[in-house]
Amino acid sequence: MAEAAQTISDRIQQKLEDLTRAERQLALSILENYPASGLGPLTALAKDANVSVPTVARMVQKLGYKGYPDFQAELREELRAKVKSPIAKHETWAEAAPSGHILNRFTDAVIDNIRHTLGHIDPAGFDEACALVADPARHLYIVGGRITHTMAEYLFLHMQVIRPNLTHVQSTSNSWPHYLLNAGKGDVFVIFDVRRYENNTLKLAELAHARGARIVLFTDQWRSPVHPLADITLSSRIVVPSAWDSAATTLLLVETMIAAVQGLHWDETKERMQELEDIFDSTKLFRKFT
């Protein structure tokens, strides 16, 4: 399976409305524990979803596979893609590198990622995520990982201006218990976790979830192990001709969220922005040209 191809999760979500009641029950069961749910025997999958074996066979054919073995083979390819190291990703790209300048090839890949991501995102889910992040009555915690901490910091910086009552959880696991001490039911955790998923991030999510917090997850097309715990998952395509994955599409979603959140309580946000500008003026931090 080429990395740019649709994932099985994408196919299932596209086909949901065309499935019978039993097939939809099966599909939702697969998505609930994706992708591990589809790796066992056909009979075990049918039993877990409380459907018949023929229902499993029919649904995988509706997804475009000849049978369950083909379905599982592609699922295993997805798993291999999930855990690729930067060196392995570069070797895969280098073997099939198309002609043309890297600027064009990279840009084409990013545009394709954006189109695919926007084609599959749930607008209602995105709006719900923005409403949670915007709610000043909920304490907002923002956390990233080894690479994604840069996007977490970017979101946090803007949320500092837009709303009060928030915390940037530093990406060092030995300090997380201190942040969780004050987290409670209804608080919101925005978590960034992309492939080469981090065990510490999953543990943080488990602890936050156990305390009744709501979780908004930014992840990739394969979905972080945090996904089953998340109230809302925002998945982005991340594959580009590089040894590293692209953050461009995820950043697009982050900046769109910033724009949406600032508008939900604009009067309060405008007042905070003006107060911040007054502070900047008093410190002469920025030069002003007249």
Side-chain angles (χ1 to χ4, degrees), residues 131-139 163-165 265:
L132 286 172
V133 171
D135 187 351
R138 302 175 186 269
H139 195 98
R163 53 157 292 171
N165 198 22
H265 301 284

Side-chain angles (χ1 to χ4, degrees), residues 168-189:
H168 178 208
V169 180
Q170 300 297 316
S171 55
T172 51
S173 60
N174 59 1
S175 67
W176 285 350
H178 296 268
Y179 294 109
L180 288 163
L181 189 61
N182 294 321
K185 186 175 181 179
D187 289 341
V188 177
F189 278 73

Side-chain angles (χ1 to χ4, degrees), residues 184-220:
K185 186 175 181 179
D187 289 341
V188 177
F189 278 73
V190 175
I191 296 176
F192 292 82
D193 194 32
V194 298
R195 69 172 169 181
R196 302 196 88 185
Y197 312 110
E198 299 180 38
N199 292 326
N200 290 334
T201 303
L202 176 59
K203 187 62 179 178
L204 171 67
E206 290 172 342
L207 293 171
H209 184 263
R211 297 178 76 88
R214 307 288 298 276
I215 296 175
V216 176
L217 173 66
F218 283 90
T219 187
D220 53 41

Side-chain angles (χ1 to χ4, degrees), residues 8-19:
I8 290 175
S9 174
D10 291 335
R11 294 192 184 200
I12 290 174
Q13 289 168 348
Q14 281 185 336
K15 291 283 186 180
L16 271 178
E17 294 186 1
D18 300 328
L19 302 177

Side-chain angles (χ1 to χ4, degrees), residues 106-107 109-115 117-118 150-151 154 194 218 236-240 244-256:
F106 199 97
T107 301
V110 169
I111 291 173
D112 185 62
N113 286 343
I114 291 172
R115 285 174 176 162
T117 297
L118 296 182
T150 55
M151 284 182 286
Y154 186 75
V194 298
F218 283 90
S236 302
R237 284 272 168 172
I238 62 173
V239 176
V240 287
W244 288 271
D245 291 319
S246 170
T249 308
T250 307
L251 184 57
L252 171 67
L253 295 182
V254 169
E255 292 197 317
T256 305

